[in-house]
Amino acid sequence: MWHDLGIPEETIALRKQIRQAVVERVAPHARDIGQREESAESFPWKAFRGLAEAGAFAVPFGPDFGLGLEFPLLGTCTTTEEIAYHSSSMAGVYDGQCILVPKALSFASDELRARLIPGLVSGELVFSFATTEPDASSDLSAGALRTTAEETAEGFVINGRKRWITNSPVADWVTVLCRSGSAMTMFAVDLKNSPGVRIGKPDLKMGHRGQLTADIAFDNVLVPRDNVLGGVGRGLSVALATLTYGRIGIAAAGVGVAQAALDLAVDRTRSRHLFGKPLGAMQHWQYRLAQRATELDCARTLYQKAALRVDRGERVPEPEAAMAKAYATRLAGDMARDAIQVFGGYGFAREISETGETFRLEELYRDAKVLEIFEGANEVLLWVVARQLIGRDVTG
C-alpha cells in the first residue's frame, strides 16, 4: 500500500537491491539471531559479512569510500528498515556499524578516516559507539559523565566505564565520549591494540539478542592525539550530531518491525476462521489494522522527511527526527501487540513443540520495546518536540 511519492529514484532502486540482499543474507539466519542467548560466539557473523559483501556497509559513504549516493542518510535508513523487517537485532548491529560510527568518523582527520573506513565498509573491522555509562545515558552533560580523558605529553589517558555498547564483544574500534576538564571530547580507540581495555561479558537482554552489548572498561588507556574526533572539548557536539542520525535510523527500524507485524497480522486475519468466517470479516480488526496501516504510512514519511532534510544540508532536522523516532518506535510495540492478539495463543508461543511451528510475534514484541529506549528515550524526544512547539522559555 506504500507509494514512493517524492522519494529519489536512487533510493527506490537501493531499496530493491537491499531487499533482495536481506532476503538472501539475513532472512535465513533471522530466527537464530533473535533466539540465541547472548555470547561472544553468538554474534551474527554470517549476516554481518553477508550485508558487507552485498554493499550495505558502503551506503553511508561518498565515492571515496562507498556508493557516493546523493541522499546517503535516506539510503542508510531505508537499508535499516529493510533489515529490521526480518531482524530488528541485525538492524541494531547495522545502526552501530553504519549510522552512528560513520557520522562520528566524519569528524576524524583524513588520515584516520583512510585507515578505518575501508575496513568498516568491507566488514573486516567491527565498530562500536560509546556514550552511555552506568549512571549517564539520557543526560550526557559533563557533570554526569564519569569516563575521563587526561591530556599528557604522549596523548590522552582514558579511565572509566561505558555500558550497553553495541557490538563491543567483537569490536575492533570504538568511538568514545569522555569528560576532559570542564568539557567533553570524543576519541576513536583501538580496542584490540590498546593496553588497559577490558570488554565485559555480553549482557543478557529481554530482546535484541543478536545485538550484542557489553561494558567497556578503560584503565589508563593511552590514545594518540590524532584519534580525537572533532577537536578537544567538542565531543558533545560530535555526540549529539551522531545521535541525531541514530534516532532517524531507529525510527526506520521501528517502521521495519511495524511493517513485519502488520503483514503477519493481515495474513492471519485472512487465514484464521472464527464462528464460521475469517477473522478479517470482523469489523474490529478491519478498523484496527486500517488504523495501523495509516500510522505506518505516517511513521515512514516522518523518518524519510527527517533523513531528506539532513541530506539536503539541514544540520538539525528537528522536530522531524524526534517525532519520527518517538512515533515509529511506539507504533512498533503497538503493532506487535495487536498482531499477537490476532494470532491468539500462537502469537504468544516461541514454538509449537509438537509441530515445530514458529510465528515470530513474541520475538517482535520483545525486540520492539528497546527501540523506545535507546538513542534517545521517547520521553526525552517528546520533550525536544515540546520545546520547539511551546518554547524553551516555558519548557526549560
Side-chain angles (χ1 to χ4, degrees):
M1 293 176 64
W2 170 254
H3 300 104
D4 285 310
L5 185 63
I7 301 303
E9 287 298 325
E10 70 167 25
T11 307
I12 297 171
L14 178 69
R15 185 187 289 277
K16 184 177 180 180
Q17 172 191 337
I18 292 295
R19 180 171 294 178
Q20 184 63 33
V22 172
V23 167
E24 294 174 356
R25 309 300 185 100
V26 176
H29 312 292
R31 175 164 172 74
D32 187 52
I33 290 171
Q35 296 291 340
R36 289 179 66 186
E37 185 168 284
E38 296 92 336
S39 69
E41 294 72 34
S42 72
F43 184 77
W45 285 113
K46 289 182 179 178
F48 182 86
R49 289 172 175 145
L51 287 172
E53 291 168 3
F57 293 178
V59 174
F61 298 103
D64 47 350
F65 299 112
L67 299 186
L69 298 177
E70 184 179 357
F71 301 97
L73 183 57
L74 179 60
T76 307
C77 291
T78 300
T79 300
T80 302
E81 180 192 338
E82 291 297 323
I83 296 170
Y85 184 87
H86 289 280
S87 173
S88 188
S89 285
M90 201 63 216
V93 173
Y94 184 78
D95 173 65
Q97 180 85 354
C98 292
I99 296 181
L100 297 177
V101 170
K103 180 57 180 176
L105 290 180
S106 72
F107 295 92
S109 66
D110 290 343
E111 293 77 12
L112 188 58
R113 285 170 56 80
R115 279 179 59 200
L116 299 184
I117 293 176
L120 185 158
V121 169
S122 69
E124 294 176 18
L125 297 178
V126 182
F127 285 81
S128 290
F129 176 83
T131 57
T132 303
E133 298 183 359
D135 297 312
S137 180
S138 295
D139 180 5
L140 291 180
S141 64
L145 221 60
R146 294 290 177 266
T147 302
T148 61
E150 182 179 349
E151 189 166 10
T152 68
E154 293 79 23
F156 288 82
V157 175
I158 297 179
N159 284 282
R161 179 182 296 272
K162 295 294 183 180
R163 178 154 290 174
W164 308 119
I165 308 307
T166 294
N167 298 339
S168 60
V170 297
D172 298 281
W173 284 78
V174 64
T175 60
V176 56
L177 183 66
C178 303
R179 178 162 51 86
S180 54
S182 60
M184 288 175 274
T185 302
M186 184 77 81
F187 300 88
V189 179
D190 183 347
L191 293 174
K192 297 292 180 67
N193 299 293
S194 298
V197 171
R198 185 179 66 81
I199 310 296
K201 292 182 179 180
D203 304 308
L204 304 181
K205 309 184 301 299
M206 179 174 75
H208 265 222
R209 293 176 181 173
Q211 181 187 358
L212 299 186
T213 66
D215 283 17
I216 305 179
F218 301 90
D219 183 8
N220 291 322
V221 177
L222 179 63
V223 180
R225 283 186 179 79
D226 291 343
N227 288 22
V228 171
L229 305 180
V232 176
R234 297 187 56 82
L236 183 60
S237 296
V238 175
L240 293 180
T242 301
L243 290 169
T244 297
Y245 276 52
R247 68 181 57 156
I248 303 172
I250 296 304
V255 168
V257 169
Q259 184 72 69
L262 178 64
D263 289 352
L264 288 167
V266 168
D267 183 69
R268 191 67 170 174
T269 59
R270 293 176 58 84
S271 63
R272 181 184 179 188
H273 286 69
L274 283 177
F275 308 111
K277 58 184 178 181
L279 189 63
M282 297 181 176
Q283 206 168 59
H284 168 80
W285 287 115
Q286 293 173 9
Y287 288 178
R288 176 60 63 87
L289 296 183
Q291 174 190 345
R292 296 301 186 212
T294 303
E295 292 170 339
L296 184 58
D297 197 286
C298 293
R300 184 177 286 115
T301 300
L302 271 172
Y303 96 66
Q304 290 179 334
K305 185 177 179 182
L308 279 169
R309 287 191 65 197
V310 170
D311 286 333
R312 288 172 176 164
E314 294 279 351
R315 190 174 63 86
V316 183
E318 296 294 5
E320 288 87 356
M323 285 178 169
K325 198 273 184 183
Y327 188 80
T329 58
R330 179 183 59 79
L331 175 62
D334 289 346
M335 188 61 247
R337 184 173 59 252
D338 283 347
I340 290 173
Q341 198 71 12
V342 167
F343 274 73
Y346 289 99
F348 188 70
R350 283 184 293 141
E351 181 177 322
I352 307 301
S353 297
E354 188 70 16
T355 63
E357 292 173 279
T358 60
F359 300 93
R360 196 192 167 195
L361 269 304
E362 63 85 27
E363 178 189 325
L364 282 172
Y365 195 39
R366 288 187 289 105
D367 285 352
K369 183 57 202 173
V370 77
L371 300 178
E372 298 182 277
I373 298 171
F374 64 5
E375 298 195 27
N378 283 2
E379 293 81 1
V380 174
L381 299 183
L382 292 174
W383 179 60
V384 169
V385 176
R387 292 177 83 187
Q388 287 200 261
L389 179 67
I390 300 170
R392 296 188 180 193
D393 58 324
V394 173
T395 61

